[in-house]
Amino acid sequence: MISRVAFADIQLPLFDRESLQPTVSISRTWEVLGPFQIETTWGADPLEHLGGFRSLLYDSQVKYRSSLGSNGTVGWSIHEVPSIANSTDLTEASLTVGFPNIDWVFLQSIYGWASLQYQAWARGCIVIDAEISQSVVLFTDNILEYWIDGTPYFGGDFYSYHRAPLVLRLDPGVHRIDLRLLRDVRAMGGIGEPEVQVKLKAQLSSGGLGVIEEKLLLPDVVDGKLASHLASVPIRNEDQEWIDVLDIESLNRLASPGL
């Protein structure tokens, strides 16, 4: 039997513990507020004078001032994630946000490409369906700023390099996540519908020191020998405490690696 939980008016499925299902999931429904004008990706947030997006609750009847709206105001909207990829320890969701009720053609005819550069906010949930707290590695493609359970995180993966994800320790239950959506014309282009596409990937971790195997960099092999004695092995601290790497050793006694 599938049950459902409501959190800030967001509905998302909880999984049957009797079957093999993910212990981490991302909500399919997202509450979006915007768009608001912005000059650069580091520009000010007009909602801060109201206490910030984190202090606002979804209300389809409430309007907020915005120079991009047809009558000088914008409101809330609901966006659905078309598909979510789940496995036993990973969940991945892609969210595309657009505002078809905004007359972008008219705005661009007056203000040029600058009118297609805007910001908005989206609210969803991350659910930990487990008996104990879990270490979660969170990747945030095309996102610069976000809040999780009221805690701010700045400096996300705006250009999708996948080099510095956030490592969290999340208790069982529902965790609210607020995403600041930024549309930078110079990065996303000025042709077509001005949409924002972001991707969230939450992966469970056993904690400790993690080796990023897909980022391993080794020299070429020439005539059966390595072309260089140098190699790059990226590692990531996926625990809640500091880890000091003092030395390394090889399982093969014929090699003597060093830092």
Side-chain angles (χ1 to χ4, degrees), residues 248-257:
I248 59 176
E249 62 180 15
S250 174
L251 297 178
N252 184 348
R253 296 184 178 181
L254 297 179
S256 299

Side-chain angles (χ1 to χ4, degrees), residues 6-25:
F7 185 82
D9 292 332
I10 297 177
Q11 299 288 332
L12 66 162
L14 287 183
F15 301 103
D16 186 354
R17 294 179 185 273
E18 296 180 356
S19 60
L20 183 60
Q21 296 288 359
T23 55
V24 57
S25 58

Side-chain angles (χ1 to χ4, degrees), residues 22-257:
T23 55
V24 57
S25 58
I26 297 175
S27 57
R28 185 179 299 273
T29 303
W30 290 74
E31 301 167 347
V32 176
L33 177 58
F36 301 96
Q37 199 168 17
I38 190 173
E39 293 183 4
T40 67
T41 55
W42 306 92
D45 179 10
L47 295 178
E48 280 300 315
H49 80 285
L50 299 176
F53 178 75
R54 58 199 173 273
S55 66
L56 304 177
L57 295 179
Y58 176 84
D59 190 336
S60 59
Q61 303 302 317
V62 177
K63 301 297 181 182
Y64 300 86
R65 294 181 179 179
S66 172
S67 59
L68 299 179
S70 58
N71 59 352
T73 62
V74 295
W76 293 84
S77 58
I78 298 295
H79 290 254
E80 299 284 340
V81 175
S83 63
I84 297 179
N86 287 322
S87 65
T88 55
D89 61 350
L90 182 146
T91 181
E92 187 173 343
S94 297
L95 176 66
T96 300
V97 175
F99 300 93
N101 58 321
I102 303 297
D103 193 347
W104 297 111
V105 175
F106 172 74
L107 292 174
Q108 188 175 14
S109 67
I110 298 176
Y111 302 109
W113 65 265
S115 64
L116 305 181
Q117 189 152 302
Y118 62 83
Q119 61 181 314
W121 283 90
R123 174 172 296 151
C125 296
I126 297 178
V127 178
I128 301 298
D129 187 20
E131 299 294 338
I132 61 175
S133 299
Q134 300 289 319
S135 292
V136 178
V137 180
L138 181 63
F139 295 86
T140 54
D141 290 11
N142 298 329
I143 299 173
L144 186 64
E145 177 185 356
Y146 52 100
W147 294 64
I148 300 179
D149 292 338
T151 301
Y153 298 93
F154 192 82
D157 196 1
F158 189 69
Y159 295 104
S160 305
Y161 289 134
H162 285 193
R163 293 178 179 173
L166 177 67
V167 179
L168 298 164
R169 188 71 179 179
L170 297 180
D171 295 329
V174 183
H175 301 270
R176 188 175 81 174
I177 177 170
D178 295 340
L179 307 176
R180 189 183 184 189
L181 308 177
L182 300 173
R183 190 179 193 282
D184 187 355
V185 175
R186 287 159 292 192
M188 303 177 183
I191 300 177
E193 190 71 19
E195 298 177 333
V196 177
Q197 296 180 343
V198 300
K199 180 165 40 173
L200 294 177
K201 177 181 176 182
Q203 183 173 4
L204 295 182
S205 168
S206 58
L209 197 64
V211 178
I212 318 304
E213 297 181 3
E214 63 270 17
K215 300 293 184 180
L216 185 67
L217 185 60
L218 296 174
D220 293 332
V221 177
V222 180
D223 292 334
K225 297 182 179 180
L226 294 175
S228 171
H229 67 284
L230 300 177
S232 175
V233 182
I235 58 177
R236 178 171 59 228
N237 183 1
E238 298 179 357
D239 213 331
Q240 300 301 302
E241 304 293 336
W242 286 95
I243 296 179
D244 294 326
V245 179
L246 303 179
D247 196 7
I248 59 176
E249 62 180 15
S250 174
L251 297 178
N252 184 348
R253 296 184 178 181
L254 297 179
S256 299

